[in-house]
Amino acid sequence: MKKLLGLLALTVAVSGIASADQDYLKSINATTEIRQGWTDKTGTGEGKGNKIGNEGFKKNNRTKTRWRNVVKGELKLVDEWDLDASFKVLHDSDNHRGALKDSAGNYITDAAGNKVYGSTARGEGWETNFELAKPVKLGPVETTTALGWTHKSSRAKENGTQGSYHTTGQSNEIYFGPTFGISVLGQNISTTLQAVYFNTNGGKSADYAYEGSEFARNKTEGYGINADFSTDGKIFDNNAGKLGYYVGLNHHLRDGEGKLVATGKEAKSSVYLDYVVGATYTTPSFAGFYGQVNVENEWEKHTAVTGYTNTFSVWTNAGYKAGFETPVGTVTVNPFVKYRPVHKESSYNKHNENKRVTTEVNEVRAGLGVGLSVK
């Protein structure tokens, strides 16, 4: 977190000496967050130990511990045709937990014959995005044309939890296209159409139905189209708080080249379908303190393969947000705690013996966000 605060301090200093006709920073935000999940792994008896149900915060029921750090910002490029620029850098450090096994692949047990639980794998992930955009307002329609690049990579320990890290997958996506937005009676409607070039290797997919490791060359590249539609708005906003809704209908066509290891045939093109609907209630703020409840359902499918996944979740959130003025802009501080009491993820595949598999994972998150909005 010290590095994130140092970056914000440097930003303040640089922004303070920038002249009005130069490129300038509009905003920058940094967030650090710890995430811990639990599922029913250790229960005994009928309906227990099946990753379904809330068994509380038991040590051996821990799933993955994740430490996430994110820095993102916006700039105005006055000298470059008055373009808007944005960037985002995300880093995850993961510790996976489960029942331990010996070198022969057998579960390790204690003196009473119970499985021993602990850290089974460690990994990390990086995601970087840079984007240039030009907004143009045509009557009531706001049109923003964007050119962007997203890079993702994952790394894992050589021997699960020991040794040095090695790269397990990478992906790149370069996209270009317009977003059309309009507001009608307080409701926001948006449509995005983008042409995409992508390449992947190892365990990354770039929204393709197949990861790079599923190809004979352990990699693929190709082209695609993003067609995303969304709407959001307020249901009410008064002394009782705020209630808003959102809907996202995302369609990502990907057509990669190369033969699949499983079939020996050329991979098919596929459309990734991601449909999200949700609602968020926010309490009135009391001296900077607030609460939130979010309910969301997400349905996902790749058209080239059988099956789909549906996830229903409920989040609660409590936090404190305060802002104070500086010579260059407003600095905000936002500590928060989140708890997910409900998370049902169901995967359906008609070809499997168990056609529908459901898991439930409760999660707690705690973090701190710091931001600067430049005057």
Side-chain angles (χ1 to χ4, degrees), residues 360-371:
E360 299 183 24
V361 179
N362 308 118
E363 184 172 299
V364 171
R365 300 178 183 178
L368 173 66
V370 181

Side-chain angles (χ1 to χ4, degrees), residues 98-346:
L100 300 178
K101 295 182 179 181
D102 59 25
S103 57
N106 300 314
Y107 285 111
I108 299 174
T109 58
D110 59 20
N114 299 314
K115 294 178 181 178
V116 176
Y117 290 82
S119 178
T120 58
R122 293 180 182 271
E124 65 174 8
W126 286 93
E127 178 179 333
T128 305
N129 174 262
F130 294 100
E131 183 177 285
L132 297 174
K134 181 64 175 178
V136 177
K137 193 168 183 65
L138 303 173
V141 179
E142 177 104 13
T143 302
T144 302
T145 302
L147 171 65
W149 167 63
T150 300
H151 172 78
K152 297 180 182 180
S153 66
S154 56
R155 304 204 306 161
K157 289 282 189 178
E158 293 281 358
N159 299 307
T161 60
Q162 305 297 322
S164 59
Y165 279 105
H166 69 286
T167 300
T168 58
Q170 297 185 65
S171 69
N172 291 283
E173 296 175 79
I174 299 174
Y175 56 89
F176 175 77
T179 296
F180 306 96
I182 188 171
S183 294
V184 180
L185 300 176
Q187 315 308 305
N188 306 308
I189 303 171
S190 175
T191 300
T192 298
L193 298 173
Q194 296 172 333
V196 180
Y197 164 79
F198 71 96
N199 61 58
T200 69
N201 63 56
K204 291 299 182 182
S205 66
D207 288 341
Y208 198 14
Y210 313 104
E211 296 179 349
S213 58
E214 296 182 67
F215 288 81
R217 299 187 303 151
N218 193 45
K219 63 181 181 180
T220 186
E221 65 176 341
Y223 297 90
I225 296 173
N226 291 343
D228 300 338
F229 310 95
S230 66
T231 181
D232 65 83
K234 295 179 182 178
I235 299 175
F236 65 78
D237 184 356
N238 52 38
N239 293 333
K242 297 185 294 185
L243 178 62
Y245 74 93
Y246 55 92
V247 178
L249 305 175
N250 303 317
H251 312 79
H252 293 179
L253 169 67
R254 298 292 185 266
D255 189 6
E257 61 180 31
K259 294 183 178 181
L260 297 172
V261 175
T263 63
K265 299 179 180 179
E266 289 288 329
K268 299 177 180 179
S269 61
S270 181
V271 179
Y272 169 55
L273 307 176
D274 181 23
Y275 298 161
V276 181
V277 59
T280 302
Y281 167 73
T282 304
T283 67
S285 177
F286 299 98
F289 292 93
Y290 65 90
Q292 284 184 330
V293 177
N294 171 260
V295 180
E296 181 180 283
N297 193 83
E298 180 177 21
W299 184 84
E300 300 171 274
K301 176 178 175 57
H302 290 280
T303 59
V305 296
T306 302
Y308 62 85
T309 299
N310 190 83
T311 304
F312 175 78
S313 61
V314 177
W315 279 99
T316 59
N317 177 17
Y320 171 77
K321 191 170 185 179
F324 55 91
E325 296 298 323
T326 71
V328 296
T330 303
V331 174
T332 57
V333 180
N334 180 207
F336 59 87
V337 177
K338 298 180 180 181
Y339 174 53
R340 185 176 64 191
V342 179
H343 177 85
K344 294 179 180 291
E345 181 176 323
S346 297

